[in-house]
Amino acid sequence: MRFSALMSVLRSVGPVIVGISLGFTLSLLSVNWTDEACRAAGAEDVTAAPDGQLRGARKPSSISSLGEGESEEQFEPRIVPYKQVQQGAPKKVFRARYISTELGIRERLFVGVLTSKNTINTMGVAVNRTISHHLDSVIFFTGMRNRKVPHGMFVVSHGDERLIWNMFQTIRYILDHYINEYDWFYFVQDDTYTEADRIKTLVDHLSMERELYMGSPEEFIGGEMEGKYCYGGFRPFLENCRNDILSARPDEWLGRCIIDYTNTNCVSEYEERQYHHYELGKNSDPSKEQNEHFKNALTVHPVSDPEQMYRLHRYFTEIELQKTYDEIAKLQAEIKNVSVVAFDGNRSSQWPVGINPPFEPKSRFEVLKWEYFTEEEIYLCIDGSPKCELRGIDRMDVADVIDTAVGELNKKYKPVLHLKKQQLINGYRRFDPVRGMEYTLDLQLEVVNQKGHSRSITKRVHLVRPLSQIEIIPMPYVTEATRVHIIIPLTLKDQGFVQHFLEVFASNAFETSENAILTFLFIYDPVEAQQVNQNDIFAGVKTQINTYERKYPTVKIPWISVKTETPSQIKFMDIISKKHPVDTLFFLAGVNTNINTEFLNRCRMNSINNWQVFFPVHFQDYNPDVAYHNQPHPATVDLIKDAGQFDRLSFEESCFYNTDYMSTRTRMVSDVQENEEILETTDIYDMFVKYSGLHVFRAVEPALHQQYRYQTCNPRLSEDIYHRCVQSNLEGLGSRSQLAMLLFEQEQGNST
């Protein structure tokens, strides 16, 4: 299990030899240097001074003392002329990609799963689904691989299905790539169920004081070799192990190799930590197993099919969940016992016990509001409507809370009473940022006693859905060095913004040599396209582009012309995608957007290939005629509430990689074949949400500033997209107070 055992000889001898040699060499250099300095000064090796103190050879870096027979009066200072040292070119400082590399911090556990071409899509997928979200690093090793690798799995193929050869290549691959990055290595076959949390707990309690080979010990076949190998489951010795194959099983071969060259046997217990392994019988039902050894197992083997793997996972998950509930109940009881002797008595323990106390507002503006709901409707909706239908995740949330409330009441009053829900009379909920979601329910219940008599009562209950533990999710590595391809679609109505856009972009990108390429997409309707030779509507824009290319000789601004009756983001990107490499990072924006380096860097950091797409929320200026009514318009606009708003209804800016666009576009082919209009009624945001499976990262972006512009809403888009466009135009006119002031002035004018 621990491969540092395989490197013990080299690691123990190598540093000692290098250290002794280096120390001896440096000692010789130091002695020679010191002796020469002493002789040059004319001093003896060791002399006795008149004051009885020993005088020895001066250190080269020290200040010379007075010689014998000399006095302070005879000492004359000597001026040493300054000679400027010729400095060479500074060496480039190498910085590691990760802080952990610089500090020598290693990950705790590496997991390797041995699979095959025939089982990777069945048992391999089942193993991945049951352990990958519990363990940080899981890699699957196979001899041959299928053309299509299961999604979300890191697979390494060795090109040979022989079991021992596959094991040998796996060990060599780890020695080449991961031996210095992890403390412990855990190997398992794909027909073994692993309780991932227990494996992590075991590793966290193992020390690094000795080499350890841990698992399920088994005797060698034939019994001619002393020691045990780990069932189921160095560099200088690996080739010898390959040439010395005396076993038919890969786990036995690995055990022989470790014992031969490190003298380390397989053990099932170390430092009072036990490796529990359970041998599963044929056609076993995990839910009926009552063996304590089975309940405490870290691994279960052999698993016959994926369905049995999932049943095992459910069984052990329920066990761990119940343990967690028991620990919570124990901690709550201890808190209650301690609170009795506190200054405030039982009042010092908040409800629920162990959960943070509620948020306390400091002013009237910080008071948290409650939402009112029934089983069918919720009041005061997100879009401002007074009432809307309770659906989706909100409906599931309310149903779950009601079921939980009735279940907890039955736990409290059984077996004396049995309660059934009749209806929800009133429901309230609010989100407390300190503790989570709070609920208050007024339930009408039917109560049945042990004699069968029943009556209807009303009961108020309080519930809290607490915030879960914060978890750090590992993300792929990205840099700010990626080139960004900026795509600006342009229609006839947008030409008035081009000059200002180019001025801002030139100062922020051209003059700073920003690693970005600007591309204009000229959109012609059929009539405009026919007259392009006689009257090109974008002739003025092309002239401006040529002017900037002459002003900045290293800059090229390409453009692409398209003809369409109905502008569509997806149709445009289909054309652009084919003209760029697959690893291109696109930023799709409007011509009235001010682009700077700060935002482009966030575009690079928030767009992760095959992982995440980024849809920023820009700051939209209000209509200047409304925001600055009867006032001069300012030259620059600051991010203040009276100047504009973050337009949450706009999704026209986006950052994504070409590979993600192409793969997502491929997934909607079947829907497009059934309904071609989907390309015109869907925008890129909805396409990624519905078809990609990627993280869609949506966040406000203060560095992305957009001038006021009245959008032309396309009625051929879907109803939701069209409604968002209209609502964005309305909310972008001005703030409520500004609009109210205009109406007030208009009413005053009409009255006079």
mmCIF file of all heavy atoms in Angstrom, residues 306 399 409 431 521 545 551 634 689:
data_model
loop_
_atom_site.group_PDB
_atom_site.id
_atom_site.type_symbol
_atom_site.label_atom_id
_atom_site.label_comp_id
_atom_site.label_asym_id
_atom_site.label_seq_id
_atom_site.Cartn_x
_atom_site.Cartn_y
_atom_site.Cartn_z
ATOM 1 N N PRO A 306 -22.852 -4.392 -11.311
ATOM 2 C CA PRO A 306 -23.009 -3.006 -10.840
ATOM 3 C C PRO A 306 -24.174 -2.818 -9.883
ATOM 4 O O PRO A 306 -24.093 -2.005 -8.956
ATOM 5 C CB PRO A 306 -23.204 -2.211 -12.138
ATOM 6 C CG PRO A 306 -22.564 -3.035 -13.198
ATOM 7 C CD PRO A 306 -22.789 -4.452 -12.790
ATOM 8 N N ALA A 399 -42.759 20.220 0.223
ATOM 9 C CA ALA A 399 -43.248 18.863 0.478
ATOM 10 C C ALA A 399 -42.328 18.124 1.443
ATOM 11 O O ALA A 399 -42.790 17.409 2.346
ATOM 12 C CB ALA A 399 -43.370 18.106 -0.846
ATOM 13 N N LEU A 409 -43.118 14.581 14.526
ATOM 14 C CA LEU A 409 -44.221 14.570 15.504
ATOM 15 C C LEU A 409 -44.611 13.145 15.870
ATOM 16 O O LEU A 409 -44.890 12.846 17.045
ATOM 17 C CB LEU A 409 -45.424 15.320 14.928
ATOM 18 C CG LEU A 409 -45.293 16.848 14.838
ATOM 19 C CD1 LEU A 409 -46.486 17.440 14.098
ATOM 20 C CD2 LEU A 409 -45.174 17.467 16.225
ATOM 21 N N PHE A 431 -34.522 32.783 4.825
ATOM 22 C CA PHE A 431 -33.142 32.330 4.799
ATOM 23 C C PHE A 431 -32.318 33.171 5.760
ATOM 24 O O PHE A 431 -32.221 34.392 5.618
ATOM 25 C CB PHE A 431 -32.546 32.425 3.399
ATOM 26 C CG PHE A 431 -31.099 31.996 3.340
ATOM 27 C CD1 PHE A 431 -30.757 30.662 3.460
ATOM 28 C CD2 PHE A 431 -30.091 32.942 3.218
ATOM 29 C CE1 PHE A 431 -29.432 30.256 3.432
ATOM 30 C CE2 PHE A 431 -28.755 32.558 3.188
ATOM 31 C CZ PHE A 431 -28.426 31.206 3.293
ATOM 32 N N LEU A 521 -18.286 40.714 -36.419
ATOM 33 C CA LEU A 521 -19.209 39.884 -37.190
ATOM 34 C C LEU A 521 -20.257 40.803 -37.804
ATOM 35 O O LEU A 521 -21.148 41.295 -37.111
ATOM 36 C CB LEU A 521 -19.865 38.838 -36.277
ATOM 37 C CG LEU A 521 -20.837 37.867 -36.932
ATOM 38 C CD1 LEU A 521 -20.113 36.937 -37.889
ATOM 39 C CD2 LEU A 521 -21.586 37.052 -35.880
ATOM 40 N N ILE A 545 -11.622 50.436 -39.118
ATOM 41 C CA ILE A 545 -10.749 49.302 -38.812
ATOM 42 C C ILE A 545 -9.403 49.468 -39.510
ATOM 43 O O ILE A 545 -8.339 49.251 -38.910
ATOM 44 C CB ILE A 545 -11.435 47.984 -39.225
ATOM 45 C CG1 ILE A 545 -12.634 47.704 -38.312
ATOM 46 C CG2 ILE A 545 -10.447 46.821 -39.181
ATOM 47 C CD1 ILE A 545 -13.450 46.502 -38.715
ATOM 48 N N LYS A 551 -2.510 52.544 -37.595
ATOM 49 C CA LYS A 551 -1.982 53.194 -36.401
ATOM 50 C C LYS A 551 -1.220 52.203 -35.531
ATOM 51 O O LYS A 551 -0.201 52.560 -34.904
ATOM 52 C CB LYS A 551 -3.135 53.821 -35.611
ATOM 53 C CG LYS A 551 -2.680 54.605 -34.383
ATOM 54 C CD LYS A 551 -3.866 55.265 -33.691
ATOM 55 C CE LYS A 551 -3.422 56.060 -32.467
ATOM 56 N NZ LYS A 551 -4.588 56.692 -31.786
ATOM 57 N N PRO A 634 -22.399 63.387 -17.604
ATOM 58 C CA PRO A 634 -20.985 63.256 -17.203
ATOM 59 C C PRO A 634 -20.177 62.543 -18.286
ATOM 60 O O PRO A 634 -20.698 61.728 -19.055
ATOM 61 C CB PRO A 634 -21.063 62.427 -15.918
ATOM 62 C CG PRO A 634 -22.316 61.640 -16.054
ATOM 63 C CD PRO A 634 -23.283 62.512 -16.806
ATOM 64 N N VAL A 689 -26.989 25.524 -20.539
ATOM 65 C CA VAL A 689 -27.725 25.039 -19.367
ATOM 66 C C VAL A 689 -28.422 23.713 -19.666
ATOM 67 O O VAL A 689 -28.390 22.777 -18.851
ATOM 68 C CB VAL A 689 -28.744 26.099 -18.902
ATOM 69 C CG1 VAL A 689 -29.677 25.522 -17.842
ATOM 70 C CG2 VAL A 689 -28.028 27.324 -18.354
#
